[in-house]
């Protein structure tokens, strides 16, 4: 028979007079009620009891200053097992990578609650009821929606918060509000910014630039589908959310196959949602299950198989304090 081990957690509260014994099997329904009190118990000692068929039981006390050092690199759970997550590259990458995602600072259209997406060209729109309208969907989301003064301050906060972290490259959307944010955050670093078209915002055609209130009033059907069922939102024969998922996967592959081990990515909320969801294996139906604030940070680690582990989601401590993230 092999050696078996049992670990007992005890505290100064667990004396012979007030010790707690639990029935077998463990009363799982009671766990939520017990968990807060269990967390609150101070750790005074850990007793390790080891026994075997050929020896008597021995007990060793491990006080906090004698606890074994834990190598965090081997405690990643599913992250360290093949086929436990989805590869975004379908091929080995040069080394493990850390990718920090950043949403741009507050823009003018954010402040005005306008639908802020990206259109490639002008579009003629549909016939609505008995009124024929030609609505120009300008390239305004790329140039007209720019950082506000608050947005610039947010970008400065991000710069300060990330100053201790070395990045091999910074990938950014070429659309103004993201480009401005990247320029502020990256200022003082040696390597040039890398602009990727795959980091542009999602196209919503004639809803572009409208306030949410106007879009809901003028195009109630389209607006409702976009808000409540984005995966099935169709416009001009396209499914923007589904297209965005394809773009996100292509973008991940392009970035992860790039040289370097630590990347910063500055872009927009919709493409950020797609990047996060595709990394986690979530479909376009989960588009609205993720939200990222202006200036919010998300962090992923990738192993050499291109599999992702989410380490931080929508981190905003630096937006409300002088918090600086460790390198």
């Amino acid at each position: 028979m092999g050696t078996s081990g049992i670990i007992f957690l005890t505290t100064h509260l667990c004396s012979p007079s007030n010790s707690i014994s639990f029935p077998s099997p463990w009363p799982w329904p009671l766990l939520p009620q017990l968990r807060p009190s269990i967390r609150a118990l101070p750790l005074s000692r850990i007793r390790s009891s080891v026994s075997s068929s050929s020896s008597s039981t021995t007990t060793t006390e491990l006080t906090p200053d004698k606890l074994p050092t834990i190598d965090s690199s081997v405690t990643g759970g599913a992250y360290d097992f093949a086929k436990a997550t989805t590869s975004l590259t379908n091929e080995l990458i040069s080394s493990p990578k850390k990718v920090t995602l950043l949403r741009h600072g507050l823009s003018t259209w954010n402040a005005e609650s306008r639908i802020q997406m990206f259109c490639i060209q002008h579009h003629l729109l549909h016939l609505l009821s008995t009124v024929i309208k030609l609505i120009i969907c300008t390239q305004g989301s790329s140039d007209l929606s720019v950082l506000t003064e608050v947005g610039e301050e947010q970008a400065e906060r991000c710069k300060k918060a990330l100053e201790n972290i070395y990045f091999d490259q910074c990938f950014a959307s070429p659309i103004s509000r993201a480009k401005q944010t990247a320029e502020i955050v990256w200022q003082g670093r040696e390597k040039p910014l890398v602009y990727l078209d795959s980091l542009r915002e999602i196209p919503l055609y004639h809803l572009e630039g409208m306030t949410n209130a106007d879009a809901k009033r003028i195009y109630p059907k389209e607006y409702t589908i976009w808000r409540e069922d984005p995966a099935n939102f169709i416009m001009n024969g396209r499914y923007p959310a589904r297209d965005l998922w394809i773009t996100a996967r292509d973008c991940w592959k392009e970035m992860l196959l790039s040289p370097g081990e630590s990347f910063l990515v500055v872009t927009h909320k919709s493409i950020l949602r797609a990047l996060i969801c595709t990394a986690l294996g979530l479909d376009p139906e989960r588009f609205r299950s993720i939200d990222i604030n202006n200036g919010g940070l998300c962090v992923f680690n990738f192993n050499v198989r291109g599999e992702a582990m989410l380490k931080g989601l929508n981190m905003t401590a630096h937006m409300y304090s002088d918090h600086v993230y460790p390198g």
Side-chain angles (χ1 to χ4, degrees):
M1 297 293 290
T3 300
S4 62
I6 304 173
I7 300 294
F8 298 93
L9 175 63
T10 62
T11 75
H12 69 284
L13 296 177
C14 296
S15 63
S17 61
N18 61 9
S19 60
I20 302 173
S21 61
F22 296 105
S24 181
W26 174 264
W28 293 111
L30 296 178
L31 187 58
Q33 290 80 11
L34 292 171
R35 188 180 292 115
S37 60
I38 291 174
R39 270 203 304 264
L41 296 178
L43 173 64
S44 62
R45 62 185 184 275
I46 296 177
R47 292 189 290 121
S48 175
S49 176
V50 180
S51 64
S52 68
S53 58
S54 60
S55 63
S56 60
T57 300
T58 60
T59 300
T60 303
E61 279 199 2
L62 297 177
T63 57
D65 59 325
K66 295 181 180 179
L67 291 176
T69 301
I70 298 175
D71 182 359
S72 60
S73 66
V74 299
T75 61
Y79 178 69
D80 292 315
F81 294 94
K83 299 183 180 179
T85 59
T86 302
S87 173
L88 293 171
T89 56
N90 295 318
E91 60 182 280
L92 295 179
I93 59 179
S94 59
S95 63
K97 298 183 188 291
K98 177 181 179 180
V99 180
T100 301
L101 307 175
L102 168 63
R103 185 185 174 194
H104 62 76
L106 186 75
S107 71
T108 50
W109 284 13
N110 285 148
E112 296 168 5
S113 189
R114 293 185 181 274
I115 297 175
Q116 184 169 245
M117 304 298 175
F118 176 74
C119 289
I120 300 174
Q121 59 188 359
H122 294 278
H123 297 279
L124 296 179
L125 299 182
H126 303 289
L127 177 65
L128 291 178
S129 301
T130 58
V131 181
I132 299 177
K133 290 185 178 180
L134 293 178
I135 301 179
I136 298 178
C137 178
T138 71
Q139 302 209 39
S141 64
S142 62
D143 294 319
L144 296 182
S145 180
V146 297
L147 292 186
T148 63
E149 184 176 340
V150 171
E152 292 176 354
E153 293 174 357
Q154 290 175 333
E156 291 287 355
R157 281 187 170 276
C158 293
K159 181 179 186 295
K160 177 68 175 177
L162 298 171
E163 64 181 6
N164 289 338
I165 302 178
Y166 173 80
F167 295 107
D168 293 293
Q169 293 193 67
C170 178
F171 300 104
S173 162
I175 297 178
S176 291
R177 54 192 182 274
K179 183 173 182 287
Q180 287 177 276
T181 302
E183 289 171 346
I184 292 172
V185 173
W186 201 246
Q187 186 178 14
R189 305 208 182 219
E190 295 182 2
K191 296 184 179 179
L193 290 164
V194 179
Y195 296 105
L196 299 180
D197 283 340
S198 54
L199 289 173
R200 289 177 179 269
E201 189 56 291
I202 186 175
L204 286 187
Y205 308 101
H206 58 277
L207 296 182
E208 173 82 15
M210 301 183 71
T211 64
N212 281 279
D214 285 344
K216 184 176 182 179
R217 177 175 54 83
I218 300 173
Y219 304 107
K221 181 180 178 180
E222 291 92 336
Y223 182 82
T224 299
I225 295 175
W226 168 240
R227 297 299 301 179
E228 298 181 4
D229 188 15
N232 291 313
F233 174 76
I234 185 171
M235 186 168 287
N236 287 14
R238 308 289 303 182
Y239 290 90
R242 300 182 194 181
D243 290 344
L244 192 64
W245 253 239
I246 296 172
T247 299
R249 293 190 184 99
D250 292 342
C251 184
W252 271 128
K253 188 169 185 177
E254 182 176 3
M255 292 189 296
L256 293 174
L257 292 177
S258 299
E261 297 182 358
S262 180
F263 301 147
L264 176 64
V265 180
V266 185
T267 186
H268 314 270
K269 182 160 71 171
S270 290
I271 183 63
L272 281 172
R273 283 170 158 168
L275 288 169
I276 294 166
C277 286
T278 52
L280 297 177
L282 301 176
D283 294 329
E285 287 76 11
R286 302 279 76 80
F287 179 85
R288 298 206 181 278
S289 65
I290 302 289
D291 198 16
I292 310 296
N293 293 68
N294 292 109
L297 293 166
C298 304
V299 180
F300 278 95
N301 283 349
F302 290 87
N303 61 19
V304 294
R305 293 185 295 274
E307 298 168 340
M309 171 178 274
L310 179 62
K311 304 294 289 186
L313 177 64
N314 196 25
M315 300 185 298
T316 57
H318 56 288
M319 290 286 97
Y320 311 103
S321 68
D322 295 328
H323 183 74
V324 177
Y325 297 98

